[in-house]
Amino acid sequence: MPIEIPTDLTPELVPLSWLIGEWEGSGRLGSGDEDSEHFFQRVSFVHNGLPYLQYRAESWLTADDGTHLRPLTVETGFWALERKQLDADGGPGLIPADIVPALKSADEVEALRNADGGFDISVSIAHPGGIAELYYGQIKGPQIQLTTDMVMRGSHSKDYSAATRIFGLVDGNLLWRWDVSTGGEAGKGLEPHASAFLKKVS
């Protein structure tokens, strides 16, 4: 399936452009074995003319046949190329960006390529229950790898200390996997948390 790049997309979002749209599909909790619970997920990546994508993922627990049982969770955040913020960029808060974007051409974006031939990215994601994640990683063509740099937890949040996520575009479908560490035992590492297979619906 060809990737359509919106004409009003700021140049630095072109590497992320294949994510833009709405995706739906099913997944499994945990390692995805026979006893793992099923869920349905709707994901959207939206741009508004600024140099980031707005992300939202809403999930529902389902029966084996796909029947929705109850809401599971919602997460929301922002995806962007990782680079130094310039005077032309907006923020913090309501400080407006310049009308002309900080990176104005494909050549300026290409200069951000890393030694591996991809682009460094940052992703911030907020969850219910007082948890927020800051990921750093790489996008290289239709593949994304993310690792938490920081997990912020509220005073009454459940244990959650680290995570990795991978995303890939395969035959026009979005596949992802999420591994987490919930702390607790000393030296406890990352364990499978969930994975899904999503189709683009718009």
Side-chain angles (χ1 to χ4, degrees):
M1 181 174 69
I3 297 171
E4 295 183 10
I5 300 175
T7 56
D8 58 345
L9 199 65
T10 186
E12 66 186 279
L13 287 185
V14 171
L16 294 161
S17 61
W18 58 268
L19 290 166
I20 295 171
E22 293 189 4
W23 306 79
E24 290 183 354
S26 60
R28 303 290 290 270
L29 300 179
S31 59
D33 57 29
E34 188 176 343
D35 297 328
S36 298
E37 292 181 283
H38 296 255
F39 67 93
F40 174 85
Q41 187 177 62
R42 180 177 296 122
V43 171
S44 65
F45 290 92
V46 179
H47 73 98
N48 62 1
L50 295 173
Y52 55 79
L53 296 181
Q54 299 173 59
Y55 163 79
R56 177 182 169 87
E58 191 169 5
S59 305
W60 293 262
L61 204 61
T62 67
D64 292 357
D65 64 0
T67 302
H68 288 209
L69 300 176
R70 62 181 189 273
L72 190 55
T73 192
V74 178
E75 58 180 30
T76 184
F78 303 94
W79 295 52
L81 294 190
E82 171 59 17
R83 62 168 178 79
K84 182 179 179 180
Q85 294 294 287
L86 305 173
D87 290 342
D89 290 303
L94 296 177
I95 297 173
D98 288 355
I99 293 176
V100 178
L103 301 184
K104 298 176 282 298
S105 69
D107 288 341
E108 288 178 306
V109 175
E110 281 297 312
L112 296 178
R113 279 197 188 271
N114 58 32
D116 197 35
F119 294 92
D120 296 330
I121 62 173
S122 63
V123 175
S124 58
I125 298 176
H127 305 258
I131 292 175
E133 305 162 301
L134 174 62
Y135 288 90
Y136 288 118
Q138 172 178 260
I139 183 167
K140 186 176 182 182
Q143 297 180 335
I144 298 171
Q145 295 183 327
L146 300 171
T147 301
T148 48
D149 178 72
M150 180 185 303
V151 174
M152 182 178 70
R153 295 190 298 119
S155 58
H156 298 292
S157 299
K158 292 184 176 181
D159 285 341
Y160 183 87
S161 58
T164 61
R165 302 195 194 205
I166 58 173
F167 296 78
L169 191 66
V170 179
D171 295 329
N173 301 305
L174 181 63
L175 281 66
W176 64 256
R177 176 184 166 121
W178 182 7
D179 293 349
V180 306
S181 175
T182 55
E185 305 168 22
K188 187 175 182 182
L190 295 168
E191 296 180 350
H193 181 65
S195 58
F197 179 97
L198 310 178
K199 292 183 177 294
K200 198 165 194 176
V201 294
S202 69

